[in-house]
Amino acid sequence: TYQVDSQPVYVQATDLGTKLNVNDLSEDELKTFFGFVLNDYVTADGLAQCIMDWTDVDDIARLHGAEKDDYIKAGMLALPANGPFRDIEDLQFVKGMTPEIYAKVSPYLTTLGEGLVNLNTAPAPVLKVLPGMTDQILSTILSLRSQGQRITSVAEVMGAVNRGRRMTAAQQAQQARSTQALSARAAVNTNQVLLTVVSRSGPQAKPTRLQAIVSRANNQASVSWQQW
């Protein structure tokens, strides 16, 4: 919190590599995420299908999903957008999303950023969704971080997973595939930071929010997105 002309200005910086872009996730990835966080794979399956029905362009509901008619029958306040989520808060309108579930899952989700997950900072529920991720790889990443070691590459993680282990040609091929899949969605640096600034012109005034994504490439920073 900063004081500007005697008024408080609240500033928050968030590494977008610690979150999952809900608009980029497949149905299986959504199911994996909700199942890991909620430890309830029936609810996870339903939520994943409802989210996919919310964002797809048709009005045909999946087996455990919901489309416009289902929302109308349930007397819900909002109808599926048939497009991507604009704000993560819109998840609250999805059928099956309770306030309790939203409180658990929303800290790990966003609608912004390029979708790369930072292996050095992302929490376990975010890491779990990465392609090729296994419980052993996840445990290795968390163990390296708990020891204060900074991860420099996916290959380093895979080397730690298989240290001292003799691998067959088939196992080596599988490791190569896992490394490639992980590398496509993982990063080891903070490349995008979401800055959120909230201020008021006076004690009774409506708050104004500015969000800006600061991206880093070749040690140069640029503001790539912002909203008043």
Side-chain angles (χ1 to χ4, degrees):
T1 302
Y2 298 89
Q3 293 293 323
V4 179
D5 293 334
S6 76
Q7 295 296 328
V9 177
Y10 306 96
V11 181
Q12 182 179 36
T14 304
D15 176 4
L16 285 176
T18 63
K19 295 177 179 287
L20 296 166
N21 189 328
V22 68
N23 291 318
D24 293 339
L25 299 179
S26 68
E27 183 176 326
D28 285 341
E29 289 170 339
L30 286 166
K31 192 185 305 183
T32 297
F33 168 72
F34 285 116
F36 187 84
V37 175
L38 304 177
N39 196 29
D40 180 346
Y41 288 90
V42 174
T43 299
D45 184 35
L47 284 170
Q49 293 189 39
C50 285
I51 288 174
M52 296 304 293
D53 280 340
W54 182 282
T55 57
D56 65 22
V57 297
D58 64 58
D59 291 322
I60 302 172
R62 289 166 170 79
L63 181 61
H64 301 296
E67 286 286 1
K68 180 173 66 176
D69 290 345
D70 300 291
Y71 285 79
I72 293 174
K73 290 178 183 177
M76 300 185 72
L77 298 177
L79 300 179
N82 290 344
F85 292 95
R86 295 182 60 187
D87 297 296
I88 202 63
E89 290 84 358
D90 293 342
L91 270 177
Q92 298 174 90
F93 301 120
V94 172
K95 196 170 187 296
M97 182 66 68
T98 67
E100 293 76 18
I101 292 176
Y102 179 78
K104 289 182 179 180
V105 302
S106 58
Y108 307 114
L109 299 173
T110 183
T111 58
L112 306 173
E114 59 190 9
L116 291 177
V117 171
N118 190 339
L119 297 183
N120 284 296
T121 56
V126 173
L127 293 169
K128 181 66 176 178
V129 178
L130 288 173
M133 183 62 66
T134 64
D135 290 341
Q136 187 178 15
I137 296 173
L138 177 60
S139 177
T140 299
I141 291 172
L142 298 178
S143 176
L144 291 172
R145 284 166 32 174
S146 69
Q147 297 168 22
Q149 183 172 336
R150 184 180 181 281
I151 298 169
T152 60
S153 67
V154 172
E156 177 188 359
V157 174
M158 301 305 289
V161 169
N162 296 294
R163 186 173 294 127
R165 174 187 173 197
R166 289 186 176 182
M167 301 175 63
T168 65
Q171 290 172 329
Q172 290 176 358
Q174 178 59 46
Q175 177 178 313
R177 289 192 292 270
S178 296
T179 301
Q180 184 177 16
L182 277 170
S183 298
R185 293 275 296 277
V188 294
N189 296 311
T190 300
N191 296 317
Q192 288 190 310
V193 173
L194 173 65
L195 293 178
T196 303
V197 183
V198 180
S199 65
R200 300 173 185 263
S201 59
Q204 304 302 320
K206 183 179 178 180
T208 299
R209 183 179 71 167
L210 166 68
Q211 285 190 315
I213 294 179
V214 181
S215 300
R216 177 176 63 179
N218 300 321
N219 292 323
Q220 297 293 321
S222 63
V223 178
S224 58
W225 185 91
Q226 60 183 15
Q227 175 186 1
W228 288 97

